[in-house]
Amino acid sequence: MSIVQNLETVRARIRSACAAAGRTPELVRLLAVSKTFPAEDVRAAHAAGQTAFGENYIQEGVDKIAALRDLPLQWHCIGPIQSNKTRLVAEHFDWVHSVDRSKIAQRLSDQRPDDMAPLQVCLQVNTDGGETKSGVRPDEVLVLAREVMALPRLVLRGLMTIPDPVEGFEAQVALHQRATALFEQVRTELNPPQWDTLSMGMTADLEAAIAAGSTMVRVGTAIFGGRTYAH
């Protein structure tokens, strides 16, 4: 299968999942996760109408952004961010999904160039409590959201989750609904001006995520194929 065919298959899955959930397909964006795949694959996906791409590895993403400057693409950093990589993210990406502590948010705001639009930010939440996982604890989301809303070069857009896989559609939906409940709590208590993004669901569970309210699914394998990791 080609990237073009794979993209259409994924889009059909999104449409079908939205129909099953009684939701409008236009309200669910597809983020193509291009980590470990070459710039040529991103170019092929763009030719098939895909404009938003997610990268986990910051330096690899920066290299790809540079190689594809001729295309009108939107770049999302979806991987963990160490303090020594915040400047690269601030200077090159359009979105960041993986902000999970105030120190990183502060550095991203301080290092965002004045001639670029503010960085669009999602808070990564550890909804299922895995000890070794990135993400702010659910009971700390409101505090971090307030801090990010106060930073001048960031715009708080929503939440992102990467829960551990669970078996069964209903169990997947229930897990994603934890993030949806937090999303609504932030809207109710803080009402951020552009609070519109719930980044959850990947190749294996995008249907369940959409049923639970996801507005952005992050799909890599189903578009680009299996990965061989050099990292």
Side-chain angles (χ1 to χ4, degrees):
M1 293 281 281
S2 70
I3 288 172
V4 174
Q5 292 169 309
N6 290 346
L7 266 171
E8 188 43 54
T9 299
V10 171
R11 289 173 184 145
R13 284 178 64 187
I14 292 171
R15 290 193 296 270
S16 178
C18 286
R23 298 183 60 201
T24 306
E26 288 74 24
L27 297 180
V28 181
R29 294 182 64 199
L30 172 59
L31 183 65
V33 179
S34 44
K35 67 175 182 182
T36 78
F37 291 100
E40 296 75 53
D41 286 0
V42 174
R43 200 174 284 280
H46 173 262
Q50 181 64 27
T51 57
F53 294 87
E55 290 286 333
N56 289 62
Y57 307 119
I58 292 165
Q59 186 59 58
E60 179 196 336
V62 168
D63 293 344
K64 235 173 273 184
I65 291 167
L68 295 162
R69 285 217 183 278
D70 58 308
L71 298 181
L73 305 180
Q74 186 182 79
W75 291 97
H76 296 237
C77 175
I78 60 175
I81 306 170
Q82 279 93 31
S83 295
N84 64 346
K85 294 289 178 68
T86 53
R87 183 173 296 278
L88 282 176
V89 175
E91 291 181 349
H92 294 89
F93 286 85
D94 304 297
W95 282 67
V96 182
H97 292 225
S98 45
V99 172
D100 63 358
R101 54 199 192 279
S102 56
K103 175 186 176 183
I104 295 298
Q106 182 70 60
R107 289 176 65 90
L108 289 171
S109 181
D110 291 346
Q111 295 169 344
R112 183 68 166 178
D114 289 338
D115 62 346
M116 294 180 75
L119 195 56
Q120 310 299 298
V121 169
C122 291
L123 307 182
Q124 183 174 346
V125 187
N126 183 356
T127 47
D128 54 356
E131 288 295 321
T132 60
K133 288 169 57 177
S134 301
V136 62
R137 287 185 1 209
D139 60 353
E140 296 172 346
V141 166
L142 284 170
V143 171
L144 183 57
R146 277 194 191 93
E147 291 170 346
V148 171
M149 286 172 68
L151 294 170
R153 303 294 297 146
L154 305 183
V155 175
L156 182 62
R157 298 293 293 268
L159 303 179
M160 184 268 263
T161 62
I162 314 175
D164 288 333
V166 293
E167 288 297 319
F169 182 78
E170 295 303 327
Q172 290 175 350
V173 172
L175 190 53
H176 286 306
Q177 282 174 334
R178 295 183 194 175
T180 307
L182 277 172
F183 184 81
E184 292 305 327
Q185 182 185 4
V186 174
R187 187 201 301 282
T188 300
E189 298 197 24
L190 302 181
N191 196 26
Q194 294 189 56
W195 189 248
D196 59 6
T197 302
L198 196 45
S199 168
M200 62 185 188
M202 297 187 277
T203 294
D205 65 348
L206 70 85
E207 285 84 2
I210 288 171
S214 173
T215 70
M216 187 181 291
V217 291
R218 308 180 307 273
V219 179
T221 305
I223 295 172
F224 296 109
R227 292 190 178 87
T228 50
Y229 285 94
H231 293 269

